[in-house]
């Protein structure tokens, strides 16, 4: 069964018809030609499909497109202007935070969303007590919060370094909860 | 995945009426479990009703001091809520130990309560499974059972409930508010999930069409401490081998203990995850520890008594000592005042 | 006088494909824009052995959006069926559960998948065997093992030497069934254009795909074009084309010329994309009281598929690693009704350095000497197997440098003696090695496009190794220009022939061809070439391989913490020190080493494909149940290397680095876990339950 939906993807409004079964990931890749988010597992188990929906990171493979009618999405292709790189992308390049590059757009969207969560006061499983959170995060916090993005090439050491570079470059926030 | 019709609910009662009248209807919330299952062919509804835009995403204080958690509150928002973090750390910790940041941003309170088992046979439609297809048989019997039940299983099903949140809610004696065609009713979380018996296809006591609208947390006495501890096969982003949720208070001063010895437990509420078809309230251990000094020996004996009823399978006998040791560690730490479960060694190095 | 050019070999250079990859704009196989594609969803066998009696596709044919359903009854006949893994849909026979038995082609991926579920199949099942056990009575000795090594070797009389030894280690070690699981699923987009087949394929070698498929379809290799500019990891599983490439190309013969797209699901990858065999390793070491080895025996039992033999060369490293007068190695294989095993990162060395390197740790303890000193004591002067001198053997330097950096000197050898905040802590070490081979049959083409700018073409593939960058640097050095002046073109059979990105041979083999092409170019055109000048060069064998044993070496160090209550195990520190010849790009090389070590950490702690022999099925066939390391599993990890150029490794002086990082990692972690807890675990993975008290 088909439904017409509108998505705002990387600053562009796209109205199109989808099968109700189509996920956001497949809508982006197969229908809209945006292959920046990747399909690694299609079941929310690897994070390669991570995009920002209304600024929050989610697994686009487990989101039905029809349920997100009207949503605003940002993929790694839309984090910065075509001629520019987002500081997180720059940091992944500087720190060699990837090898094959397939998990990378998802890692980068996840990292951007993750720092926003930290700045909004969200704790993680390794946060201690009920005290403040915020950036800069220590390495253990980064690792835990990025564990929803698998990298089989094993670039984790450099991914943590890249996120450190990006969060040091950005304004730091201590969030009192 | 079979084609299905998609509707967006605008009113809870209408949604319940529509769903109740049509056995082919399923509610769609965060989708993290349902969309997974649609792809695997575990479920094939004819219609989905999207309930995410219903006004069920608030967290309110109750007159008696408890908290009412809307069914559509996202797991990440619930875990970050200041009242939840400060008053119900067991719940915040349980939520944060589950899944990933991305999944927690999508998953809802109501959906998490309905999370279905990770039994590998349940998830593969080419193998028999009584939970998926009643009467077809249980492939886990004689199969791979590392993640399966040691308590409360039946010959029809060895699966475990995979939710972390539900384990914390069971230890908190939370209630689930359910809207049916006859109006709202309240179900204790401890009675919400079922043991498999001869109907393993039913995870919970809900009837078709019932809509979870909220979860209510009771007020806790002053001095209550709580913690969640999850043991799993990697450091993050994995389902529990064993998990422990504990909510305790102490008869003396609130539990720090004195030089004279350990404090004395008041009420102990202890739930185990990863061991049964539902969050397992360790009532035998709770009873043994009520009013008892919080010594290592007492705690360990209470857990031994609880786990005496465990029936290990081929691959999971380790869960008995693992559950015993983990619960002992959590209660020991609550009694000595650290109260947040076991920090990782790395975090201990960092002040 | 030398001119210092920027970005040439040896310099730190950012990945030249990096900007496109951080944006997600570098196209992988599925992502090339093709016109009006059809989508394929396969049908898979649900029995492990037997035959299809009936296959009813009526409902599927009638389902909305379906264009074709293909089964063995109506599939195109293949011209070549010698490779039983690739000869799909040619008969009703089923060789393993999950094998392709058909395909649905539809207008959308959703329609294809839904229709596939409507096909009804009836089978006649035959009894199947899917469990590898040491006591099987049908184990056999293959003619040879992978990479052409002899199945068995024997020097002297190791049984007698061990019987007479003062100290003996006699233990069995096992490594489990493991899956490569690159992040990009195996994907093929196939289109027949007239009598030519065009494939966008996720592969480690475009020319190998063409060479393999040509006889299968009975066409000349030149009629197949394979394109793969970006590949999302392979780790061996994309080293040879698997059956999905054939299935997709066959389906494209039924699509009226439309392209057909097929990406395996993660679940399907556990059946159809190769894997590492489980191994059962009986290791016997005999030594005198000082630790001097007199005998080494490494007997390995592993599995292959009944339909196609792949025998991993697991006992090979024991043939050259340490000095001992008496030595025997063997491989015995069970043919089972299971999916077809294949290459997985460092086949042979990776599992084969687990048993022996843990055994060496056990021997060190039994002799009361430090495990590093035990290895130094047994360092051979020449290759024990071939009798040739080593071109470069710096194992001892790696161990010493690692010990210095890791703080090994302070180590108290007593196990289970460090409990810190509830965690038992220990450290361990293991050696690493990997052979340095160069593949022949590589050609590169260089063209002077415009003043000072050169295009360099070769059919190499970058699977994440950094080949885009390293080959650019090699070309810049060979031509005497800046990296920015090179326009590298790879990943297409339209470019000159290249061998597979595998066996740690890519950079050295392709690089040798580029160097040869640059030399030919300069010989012919001099330093002032005209625009349009071009030349090709082909690299031959490395002549030094006749005289020398060429291997890389390394030392792996690990610190492990095991929770006293729960048994949870964490690797808190890891250090790898490697001797791999010249390093072309320190930035990407470090990533390669760290990546190998991270995969080794996964092998140590997590990875285990669980076979349910009743079904002949890997049951934990997804990323939620088959665990690879997450970010949180990798803490303080570093890789360094000795500064060297291997003068016997060709003009480049490099030996290849893709695999050595994983070798020895699991043994170092297992040895550290023993040091932490006093519990010796000889069966991977090292899960929490092994350490519960």
């Amino acid at each position: 069964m088909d439904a017409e939906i509108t998505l705002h993807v990387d600053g562009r409004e796209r109205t199109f018809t989808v099968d109700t079964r189509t996920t956001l990931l497949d809508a982006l890749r197969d229908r809209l030609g945006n292959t920046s988010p990747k399909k690694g597992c299609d079941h929310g188990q690897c994070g390669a499909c991570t995009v920002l929906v209304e600024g929050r990171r989610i697994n686009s493979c487990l989101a039905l497109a029809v349920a997100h009618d009207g949503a605003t999405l940002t993929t790694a292709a839309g984090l910065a202007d075509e001629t520019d790189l987002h500081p997180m992308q720059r940091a992944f390049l500087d720190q060699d935070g990837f090898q094959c590059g397939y998990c990378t757009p998802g890692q980068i969207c996840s990292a951007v969303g993750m720092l926003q969560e930290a700045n909004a006061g969200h704790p993680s499983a390794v946060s201690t007590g009920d005290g403040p959170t915020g950036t800069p995060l220590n390495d253990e916090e980064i690792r835990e919060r990025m564990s929803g993005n698998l990298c089989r090439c094993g670039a984790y050491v450099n991914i943590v370094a890249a996120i450190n570079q990006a969060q040091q470059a950005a304004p730091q926030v201590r969030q009192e909860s | 995945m079979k084609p299905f019709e998609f509707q967006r609910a605008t009113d809870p009662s209408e949604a319940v009426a529509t769903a109740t009248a049509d056995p082919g209807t399923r509610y769609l919330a965060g989708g993290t479990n349902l969309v997974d299952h649609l792809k695997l062919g575990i479920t094939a509804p004819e219609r989905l009703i999207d309930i995410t835009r219903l006004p069920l995403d608030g967290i309110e204080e109750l007159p008696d001091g408890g908290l009412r958690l809307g069914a559509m509150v996202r797991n990440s928002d619930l875990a970050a809520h200041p009242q939840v973090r400060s008053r119900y750390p067991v719940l915040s910790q349980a939520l944060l130990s589950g899944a990933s940041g991305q999944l927690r941003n999508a998953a809802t309170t109501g959906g998490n309560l309905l999370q279905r088992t990770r039994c590998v046979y349940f998830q593969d439609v080419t193998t028999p499974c009584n939970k998926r297809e009643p009467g077809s048989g249980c492939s886990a019997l004689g199969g791979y059972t590392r993640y399966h039940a040691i308590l409360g299983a039946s010959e029809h099903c060895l699966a475990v409930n995979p939710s972390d949140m539900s384990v914390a809610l069971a230890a908190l004696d939370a209630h689930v508010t359910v809207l049916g065609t006859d109006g709202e009713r309240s179900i204790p979380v401890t009675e919400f999930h079922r043991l498999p018996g001869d109907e393993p296809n039913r995870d919970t006591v809900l009837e078709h069409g019932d809509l979870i609208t909220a979860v209510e947390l009771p007020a806790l006495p002053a001095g209550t401490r709580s913690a969640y501890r999850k043991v799993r096969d990697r450091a993050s982003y994995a389902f529990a081998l064993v998990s422990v949720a504990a909510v305790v208070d102490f008869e003396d001063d609130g539990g720090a203990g004195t030089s004279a010895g350990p404090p004395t437990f008041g009420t102990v509420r202890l739930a185990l995850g990863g061991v049964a078809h539902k969050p397992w309230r360790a009532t035998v251990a709770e009873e043994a520890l009520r009013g008892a000094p919080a010594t290592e020996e007492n705690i360990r004996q209470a857990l031994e008594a609880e786990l005496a009823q465990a029936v290990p399978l081929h691959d999971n006998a380790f869960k008995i000592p693992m559950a015993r040791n983990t619960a002992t560690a959590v209660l020991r730490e609550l009694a000595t005042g650290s109260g947040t479960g076991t920090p990782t060694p790395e975090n201990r190095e960092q002040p | 006088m030398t001119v210092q050019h920027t970005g040439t070999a040896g310099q730190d250079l950012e990945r030249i494909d990096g900007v496109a990859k951080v944006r997600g704009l570098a196209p992988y196989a599925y992502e090339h824009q093709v016109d009006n594609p059809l989508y394929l969803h396969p049908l898979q066998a649900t029995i492990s052995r037997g035959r299809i009696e009936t296959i009813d596709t009526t409902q599927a044919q009638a389902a909305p959006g379906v264009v074709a359903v293909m089964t063995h009854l109506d599939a195109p006949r293949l011209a070549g069926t010698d490779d039983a893994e690739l000869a799909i849909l040619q008969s009703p026979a089923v060789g393993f559960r999950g094998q392709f038995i058909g395909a649905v082609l539809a207008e959308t991926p959703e329609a294809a998948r839904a229709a596939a579920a409507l096909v009804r199949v009836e089978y006649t099942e035959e009894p199947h065997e899917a469990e590898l056990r040491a006591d099987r009575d049908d184990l056999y000795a293959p003619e040879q093992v992978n990479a052409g090594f002899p199945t068995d070797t024997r020097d002297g009389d190791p049984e007698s030497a061990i019987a007479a030894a003062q100290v003996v280690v006699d233990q069995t070690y096992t490594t489990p069934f493991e899956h490569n699981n690159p992040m990009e699923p195996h994907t093929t987009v196939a289109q027949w254009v007239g009598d030519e087949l065009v494939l966008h394929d996720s592969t480690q070698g475009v020319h190998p795909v063409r060479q393999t498929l040509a006889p299968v379809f009975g066409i000349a290799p030149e009629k197949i074009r394979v394109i793969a500019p970006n590949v999302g990891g392979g780790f061996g599983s994309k080293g040879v084309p698997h059956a999905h490439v054939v299935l997709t190309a066959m389906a494209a013969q039924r699509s009226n010329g439309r392209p057909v797209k097929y990406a395996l699901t993660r679940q399907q990858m556990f059946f159809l994309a190769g894997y590492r065999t489980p191994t059962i390793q009986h290791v016997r070491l005999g030594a005198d009281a000082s630790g001097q080895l007199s005998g080494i025996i490494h007997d390995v039992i592993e599995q292959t598929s009944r339909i196609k033999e792949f025998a991993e060369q697991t006992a090979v490293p024991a043939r050259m690693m340490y000095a001992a007068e008496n030595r025997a190695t063997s491989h015995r294989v069970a043919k089972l009704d299971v999916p077809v095993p294949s290459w997985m990162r460092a086949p042979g060395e990776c599992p084969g350095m687990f048993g022996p390197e843990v055994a060496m740790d056990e021997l060190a303890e039994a002799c009361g000497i430090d495990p590093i000193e035990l290895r130094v004591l047994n360092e051979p002067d020449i290759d024990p197997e071939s009798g040739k001198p080593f071109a470069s053997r710096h194992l001892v330097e790696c161990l010493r440098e690692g010990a210095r950096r890791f703080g090994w000197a302070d180590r108290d050898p007593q196990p289970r003696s460090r409990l810190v905040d509830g965690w038992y802590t220990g450290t361990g070490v293991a050696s690493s090695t990997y052979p340095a081979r160069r593949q022949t049959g590589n050609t590169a083409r260089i063209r002077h496009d415009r003043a000072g700018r050169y295009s360099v073409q070769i059919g190499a593939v970058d699977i994440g190794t950094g080949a885009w960058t390293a080959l650019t640097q090699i070309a810049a050095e060979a031509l005497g220009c800046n990296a920015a002046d090179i326009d590298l073109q790879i990943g297409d059979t339209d470019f000159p022939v290249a061998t597979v990105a595998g066996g740690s041979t890519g950079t050295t083999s392709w690089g040798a061809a580029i160097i040869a092409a640059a030399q030919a170019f300069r010989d012919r055109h001099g330093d002032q070439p005209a625009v349009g000048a071009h030349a090709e060069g082909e690299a031959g064998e490395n002549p030094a391989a006749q005289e020398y044993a060429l291997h890389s070496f390394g030392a792996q160090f690990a610190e492990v913490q095991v929770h006293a209550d729960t048994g949870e195990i964490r690797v808190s520190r890891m250090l790898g020190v490697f001797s791999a010849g010249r390093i072309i790009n320190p930035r990407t090389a470090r990533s390669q080493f760290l990546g190998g070590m991270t995969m080794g950490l996964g092998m140590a702690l997590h990875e285990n494909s669980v076979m349910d022999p009743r079904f002949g099925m890997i049951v934990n066939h997804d990323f939620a149940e088959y665990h690879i390391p997450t970010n949180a599993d990798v803490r303080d990890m570093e890789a360094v290397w000795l500064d060297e150029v291997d003068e016997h490794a060709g003009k480049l002086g490099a030996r290849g680095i893709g695999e050595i990082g994983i070798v020895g990692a699991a043994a170092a972690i297992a040895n550290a876990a023993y040091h932490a807890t006093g519990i010796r675990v000889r069966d991977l993975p090292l899960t929490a339950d092994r350490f519960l008290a």
Side-chain angles (χ1 to χ4, degrees):
Chain A
M1 276 163 242
D2 290 344
E4 186 181 274
I5 63 167
T6 298
L7 297 176
H8 305 268
V9 181
D10 295 339
R12 280 182 65 194
E13 182 178 304
R14 309 289 294 266
T15 298
F16 59 111
T17 302
V18 286
D19 191 310
T20 53
R21 294 172 291 182
T22 305
T23 60
L24 267 187
L25 177 63
D26 288 343
L28 288 166
R29 287 172 64 83
D30 289 330
R31 304 298 312 285
L32 301 182
N34 182 336
T35 56
S36 181
K38 306 301 184 194
K39 184 179 286 189
C41 73
D42 213 22
H43 288 271
Q45 301 164 355
C46 79
C49 67
T50 303
V51 299
L52 302 172
V53 174
E54 315 300 342
R56 287 163 67 111
R57 55 177 174 156
I58 65 160
N59 300 111
S60 61
C61 72
L62 291 182
L64 292 178
V66 66
H68 287 79
D69 185 16
T72 299
L73 279 66
T74 306
T75 74
L79 279 173
D81 293 343
E82 281 173 30
T83 55
D84 205 2
L85 290 176
H86 186 281
M88 190 64 76
Q89 292 171 319
R90 184 70 251 162
F92 269 68
L93 280 173
D94 289 347
Q95 302 296 334
D96 209 36
F98 59 97
Q99 292 186 50
C100 79
Y102 196 76
C103 73
T104 311
Q107 298 273 3
I108 288 171
C109 283
S110 185
V112 169
M114 180 276 287
L115 289 181
Q116 286 169 0
E117 288 163 14
N119 284 332
H122 282 217
S124 83
V126 299
S127 305
T128 46
D130 58 359
T133 63
T135 56
L137 296 168
N138 68 26
D139 286 357
E140 195 195 11
E141 284 276 7
I142 293 172
R143 291 180 197 126
E144 163 59 26
R145 291 168 189 259
M146 289 300 293
S147 281
N149 291 85
L150 301 183
C151 170
R152 187 53 158 165
C153 295
Y156 296 129
V157 170
N158 292 350
I159 289 169
V160 172
I163 293 170
N164 264 318
Q165 176 183 322
Q167 72 171 354
Q168 298 299 340
Q172 291 167 14
V173 178
R174 295 305 292 179
Q175 179 74 35
E176 299 300 325
S177 61
Chain B
M1 206 189 302
K2 286 205 294 193
F4 53 79
E5 184 190 329
F6 178 86
Q7 285 180 8
R8 182 163 292 127
T10 51
D11 173 76
S13 298
E14 270 180 39
V16 169
T18 308
T20 305
D22 176 6
T25 294
R26 295 283 308 273
Y27 296 124
L28 172 71
T32 53
N33 205 200
L34 181 60
V35 177
D36 180 20
H37 286 182
L38 292 173
K39 293 181 189 187
L40 293 174
I42 292 171
T43 183
E46 285 154 14
R47 173 163 52 187
L48 292 187
I49 299 182
D50 179 359
I51 55 172
T52 53
R53 300 189 194 188
L54 291 176
L56 301 172
D57 59 351
I59 298 176
E60 303 156 34
E61 296 217 36
L62 295 170
D64 68 352
L67 273 187
R68 180 181 166 95
L69 319 172
M72 289 302 108
V73 175
R74 307 291 168 160
N75 286 177
S76 51
D77 296 327
L78 184 56
H81 194 273
Q83 292 287 335
V84 174
R85 286 184 75 191
S86 61
R87 292 164 57 194
Y88 306 95
V90 62
L91 177 57
S92 182
Q93 291 164 11
L95 285 159
L96 293 171
S97 73
S100 67
Q102 292 94 312
L103 289 164
R104 293 191 294 269
N105 276 341
T108 62
T109 313
N112 196 326
L113 276 168
L114 298 177
Q115 211 182 147
R116 306 206 70 191
T117 185
R118 303 300 306 191
C119 172
V120 293
Y121 303 102
F122 172 74
Q123 293 189 84
D124 187 315
V125 297
T126 69
T127 61
C129 169
N130 287 324
K131 182 179 280 297
R132 182 167 27 77
E133 202 179 326
S136 62
C138 174
S139 296
L141 268 175
Y144 172 59
T145 50
R146 178 173 177 80
Y147 287 90
H148 288 71
I150 54 170
L151 290 161
S154 77
E155 60 182 326
H156 304 289
C157 183
L158 308 174
V160 299
N161 184 301
S163 169
D164 293 295
M165 183 195 78
S166 297
V167 182
L169 292 180
L172 285 165
D173 278 327
H175 283 62
V176 186
T177 308
V178 175
L179 182 65
T181 45
D182 298 333
E184 272 198 348
R185 64 190 194 276
S186 178
I187 305 170
V189 167
T190 51
E191 295 168 21
F192 180 82
H193 298 99
R194 297 177 66 259
L195 290 178
D198 58 4
E199 267 190 306
N201 53 313
R202 294 185 61 210
D203 293 349
T204 70
V205 299
L206 291 185
E207 299 294 334
H208 180 76
D210 281 346
L211 177 69
I212 299 171
T213 55
V215 170
E216 292 191 355
L217 303 180
L220 298 176
T224 300
R225 293 163 179 251
S226 70
Y228 188 77
R229 179 78 160 86
K230 180 177 184 177
V231 180
R232 42 186 159 177
D233 269 334
R234 58 185 177 191
S236 186
Y237 202 18
F239 291 94
L241 292 165
V242 156
S243 70
V244 174
V247 181
V248 300
D249 53 42
F250 297 91
E251 286 189 351
D252 25 25
D253 62 349
T258 65
S259 55
T264 300
F265 283 120
T267 306
V268 174
R269 290 183 285 185
L270 185 67
L272 304 179
V275 295
H277 196 259
K278 60 183 286 188
W280 187 266
R281 269 296 286 268
T283 51
V284 174
E286 290 178 6
E287 206 49 51
L289 290 172
R290 189 191 313 276
T295 62
E296 185 84 7
E297 187 57 25
N298 283 345
I299 297 170
R300 202 177 165 90
Q301 276 183 8
L303 267 303
E304 299 271 9
E306 179 71 41
L307 292 161
Q309 53 192 312
V311 180
L313 303 165
H314 184 264
D315 302 319
N316 70 4
F318 69 88
K319 284 189 176 182
I320 296 174
M322 185 178 276
R324 178 197 65 207
N325 289 6
T326 307
T328 302
V330 169
L331 291 172
R332 177 207 305 141
E333 284 160 16
L334 287 174
T336 54
S338 54
T340 55
T342 306
T344 61
E346 189 173 3
N347 229 15
R348 290 189 181 212
E349 288 160 21
Q350 294 169 348
Chain C
M1 189 209 77
T2 54
V3 180
Q4 182 63 45
H5 294 287
T6 60
T8 56
Q11 297 186 48
D12 180 292
L13 184 66
E14 180 182 299
R15 286 175 197 265
I16 64 173
D17 50 330
V19 168
K21 285 184 175 167
V22 297
R23 287 197 178 111
L25 300 179
Y28 297 81
Y30 190 89
E31 301 167 0
H32 294 273
Q33 294 302 315
V34 292
D35 287 336
N36 200 22
L38 289 172
Y39 297 86
L40 184 152
H41 197 87
L43 310 175
Q44 293 176 267
T46 57
I47 63 167
S48 288
R49 192 178 184 187
R51 52 182 287 126
I52 298 164
E53 291 301 337
T54 65
I55 185 160
D56 178 2
T57 61
T58 320
Q59 267 188 290
Q61 302 267 13
V66 171
V67 171
V69 182
M70 185 173 77
T71 72
H72 70 281
L73 297 173
D74 58 0
R77 295 300 99 186
L78 296 171
T81 55
D82 294 344
D83 185 331
E85 180 188 1
L86 300 181
I88 49 170
L89 276 55
Q90 302 301 295
S91 84
V94 172
F96 60 90
R97 192 181 181 105
Q99 192 175 23
F100 290 130
I101 58 168
V104 176
L105 276 183
E107 297 288 347
T108 67
E110 293 85 3
R113 185 172 193 153
L118 301 175
V119 175
R120 295 286 164 260
V121 187
E122 286 177 20
Y123 302 93
T124 298
E125 272 193 84
E126 292 167 29
H128 69 265
E129 297 272 354
E131 187 175 19
L132 179 66
R133 297 187 319 272
D135 62 357
R136 292 189 66 91
D137 59 11
D138 56 355
L139 300 172
Y140 73 99
E143 279 184 27
Q144 59 178 30
V145 293
N146 181 49
F149 289 102
T151 301
D152 296 352
T153 62
R154 172 166 289 273
D155 296 292
D157 182 356
E159 286 82 1
S160 300
I162 290 167
Q166 288 173 287
V167 184
V168 173
V169 173
D170 182 342
Q171 294 290 353
T172 297
Y173 306 84
T174 66
T175 65
F177 212 129
E178 296 166 342
H179 277 81
N180 313 56
N181 271 316
M183 291 308 297
E184 183 203 11
H186 296 63
T187 300
T188 301
V189 181
Q191 184 172 21
W192 289 89
V193 181
D195 62 350
E196 292 191 10
L197 176 62
V198 180
L199 299 172
H200 294 281
D201 196 37
S202 184
T203 177
Q204 293 173 224
V206 289
H207 289 95
V209 169
R210 158 198 273 195
Q211 292 298 337
T212 305
L213 289 197
V216 173
F217 285 94
I219 57 178
E222 295 69 32
K223 294 287 187 185
I224 302 175
R225 183 177 175 201
V226 184
I227 303 161
N230 301 290
V231 175
F235 314 110
S237 70
K238 297 172 183 171
V240 294
H242 296 292
H244 65 278
V245 186
V246 176
L247 185 72
T248 312
M250 285 166 89
Q253 293 177 326
R254 295 290 160 82
S255 68
N256 292 322
R258 293 170 69 179
V260 174
K261 302 181 86 164
Y262 175 38
L264 267 69
T265 64
R266 181 61 55 183
Q267 289 84 351
Q268 290 162 3
M269 287 170 67
F270 284 80
F271 299 87
L272 293 156
Y275 62 90
R276 183 171 348 257
T277 174
T279 71
I280 302 168
Q281 307 179 25
H282 185 193
V283 179
R284 284 172 279 175
L285 303 177
D288 66 19
S290 75
Q292 188 80 55
L293 285 165
S294 55
I296 299 173
I297 303 176
H298 192 190
D299 294 317
V300 178
I301 293 168
E302 48 200 22
Q303 77 185 33
T304 187
S305 167
R306 197 182 304 280
I307 68 165
K308 179 177 173 180
E309 182 182 278
F310 176 88
E312 184 150 346
Q313 71 273 35
T314 305
V316 163
R319 296 172 184 174
M320 49 65 66
M321 199 59 206
Y322 298 112
E325 294 273 305
N326 306 285
R327 174 188 317 266
T329 65
S330 72
H331 299 84
R332 294 293 177 270
V333 179
K335 276 190 177 165
L336 302 177
D337 304 297
V338 295
V340 183
S342 185
W343 300 331
M344 179 165 165
R345 201 172 203 163
E349 277 72 17
C350 178
M353 287 288 278
F354 176 69
E357 287 299 304
V358 177
M360 287 293 277
D361 202 62
E362 301 200 55
L363 181 63
E365 188 184 38
C367 295
I369 69 169
D370 183 87
I372 291 176
E373 300 309 321
L374 176 70
R375 288 167 171 88
V376 172
L377 181 67
N378 288 290
E379 180 72 357
D381 297 328
I382 55 168
D383 176 12
E385 184 180 21
S386 67
K388 295 177 192 171
F390 286 102
S392 160
R393 180 169 172 131
H394 297 296
L395 173 63
V396 173
E397 289 92 326
C398 291
L399 289 163
R400 297 281 188 226
E401 175 65 9
R404 187 184 67 77
R405 288 172 178 261
F406 201 70
W408 190 263
D410 305 332
R411 183 179 189 258
D412 169 6
Q414 183 66 30
R416 206 177 180 87
S417 57
R418 290 149 304 278
L419 182 62
V420 182
D421 287 337
W423 295 78
Y424 286 109
T425 303
T427 51
V429 65
S431 300
S432 180
T433 189
Y434 197 76
R437 301 186 200 98
R438 188 202 293 173
Q439 308 250 20
T440 57
N442 282 282
T443 300
R445 181 186 302 138
I446 293 174
R447 184 175 182 278
H448 187 219
D449 287 340
R450 54 190 163 82
R453 219 176 141 75
Y454 302 89
S455 59
V456 177
Q457 296 181 330
I458 183 167
V461 177
D462 189 334
I463 57 172
T465 55
W468 275 110
T469 313
L471 296 184
T472 297
Q473 295 180 271
I474 291 167
E477 179 178 68
L479 286 164
C481 64
N482 298 322
D485 298 327
I486 301 293
D487 174 18
L488 182 75
Q489 298 171 17
I490 60 172
D492 193 326
T493 48
D494 276 1
F495 305 141
V497 63
T499 51
V500 68
S504 296
T505 63
T507 302
T508 54
S509 305
W510 308 325
I514 290 172
I515 291 168
Q519 193 156 21
F521 183 89
R522 289 297 180 213
D523 287 350
R524 195 179 309 166
H525 304 294
D527 290 340
Q528 303 291 327
V531 169
H534 56 89
E536 287 196 358
E538 182 180 349
E541 285 181 23
N542 177 12
Q546 299 300 323
E547 297 168 53
Y548 295 98
L550 287 148
H551 299 264
S552 290
F553 293 91
Q556 303 264 14
F557 291 79
E559 179 186 87
V560 160
Q561 297 173 309
V562 177
H563 196 275
D565 290 314
T566 65
E568 291 159 291
I569 176 168
R570 305 281 185 259
V571 178
S572 46
R573 271 201 302 152
M574 240 182 129
L575 170 69
V577 182
F578 301 100
S579 158
R582 188 178 179 210
I583 296 302
I584 308 303
N585 183 339
R587 178 190 311 224
T588 55
R590 176 172 171 271
S591 293
Q592 281 265 79
F593 290 131
L594 290 172
M597 292 165 67
T598 299
M599 196 178 274
L601 187 154
M603 175 186 180
L605 302 192
H606 307 307
E607 296 188 37
N608 182 15
S609 304
V610 178
M611 167 59 69
D612 184 332
R614 301 170 306 167
F615 296 107
M617 181 170 89
I618 296 297
V619 291
N620 57 336
H621 48 57
D622 64 21
F623 266 150
E625 330 295 332
Y626 182 89
H627 290 146
I628 65 170
T630 66
N631 203 317
D633 290 293
V634 179
R635 292 182 177 166
D636 180 354
M637 181 184 284
E638 192 49 277
V640 297
W641 49 88
L642 306 183
D643 188 14
E644 61 178 312
V645 174
D646 188 340
E647 58 183 15
H648 301 301
K651 288 183 180 150
L652 198 55
R655 287 199 299 264
I657 57 173
E659 271 138 308
I660 191 167
I662 195 175
V663 179
I669 291 168
N671 294 340
Y674 172 75
H675 186 231
T677 63
I679 298 169
R680 180 70 73 179
V681 179
R682 301 182 181 88
D683 308 291
L684 293 178
L686 306 166
T687 47
D689 45 291
R690 312 300 184 100
F691 301 103
L692 278 174

